């Protein structure tokens, strides 16, 4: 099965650090403006999902959710989570106090990959 989401080693290091500090985590990416343009990291359950939001997979064992409308737009794309130096707009994500911000790099799946994608989970 082809994963829909993955992370760079630098992002994984920050995620492991956040896990040690905050416990279980979750990621959410909205399709809106400001902090919605990048993935947000919360303590698990620290963000309330909407009906129809989509879990596209896990990173370091933690669910990565996307807004239902964003999923429709990007359902044929692979998400690679990266981390950059800098403070994001809004600063609600757990990596903010570290002077870091998560970022997604997208690439379109090949037709062969689309045939073998991992299934998604919907919030009901």
């Amino acid at each position: 099965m082809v994963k829909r989401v993955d992370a760079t080693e630098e992002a994984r290091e920050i995620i492991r650090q956040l896990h040690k500090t905050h416990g279980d985590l979750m990621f959410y990416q909205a399709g809106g403006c400001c902090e919605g343009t990048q993935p947000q990291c919360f303590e698990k359950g620290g963000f309330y999902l909407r009906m129809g939001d989509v879990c596209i997979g896990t990173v370091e064992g933690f669910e990565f959710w996307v807004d239902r409308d964003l999923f429709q737009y990007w359902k044929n794309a692979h998400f690679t989570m990266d981390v950059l130096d800098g403070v994001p707009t809004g600063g609600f994500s757990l990596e903010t106090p570290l002077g870091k911000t998560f970022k997604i790099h997208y690439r379109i799946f090949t037709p062969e990959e689309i045939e073998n994608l991992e299934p998604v989970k919907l919030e009901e």
Side-chain angles (χ1 to χ4, degrees), residues 15 20 34 76 112 123:
I15 293 165
K20 284 181 187 174
C34 305
N76 293 318
E112 294 79 22
E123 178 66 15

Side-chain angles (χ1 to χ4, degrees), residues 20-119:
K20 284 181 187 174
T21 304
H22 300 282
D24 287 344
L25 306 170
M26 66 181 291
F27 298 94
Y28 187 82
Q29 185 163 351
C33 68
C34 305
E35 55 274 338
T37 60
Q38 59 210 42
Q40 301 287 295
C41 180
F42 300 99
E43 292 177 356
K44 185 173 182 170
F47 182 85
Y48 295 103
L49 300 168
R50 296 181 312 148
M51 222 179 196
D53 283 344
V54 181
C55 179
I56 62 170
T58 61
V59 177
E60 288 293 302
F62 304 114
E63 291 180 335
F64 190 105
W65 290 86
V66 296
D67 172 87
R68 61 186 175 224
D69 296 327
L70 182 70
F71 177 74
Q72 287 305 312
Y73 188 77
W74 287 108
K75 66 184 173 186
N76 293 318
H78 182 271
F79 288 50
T80 301
M81 185 186 300
D82 201 355
V83 67
L84 307 170
D85 291 330
V87 177
T89 304
F92 299 115
S93 194
L94 292 176
E95 78 281 3
T96 300
L98 304 175
K100 303 287 184 183
T101 185
F102 288 117
K103 175 183 175 37
I104 295 294
H105 301 284
Y106 302 96
R107 73 165 177 83
I108 302 301
F109 288 119
T110 66
E112 294 79 22
E113 288 174 317
I114 289 174
E115 297 284 324
N116 295 299
L117 288 175
E118 285 184 338

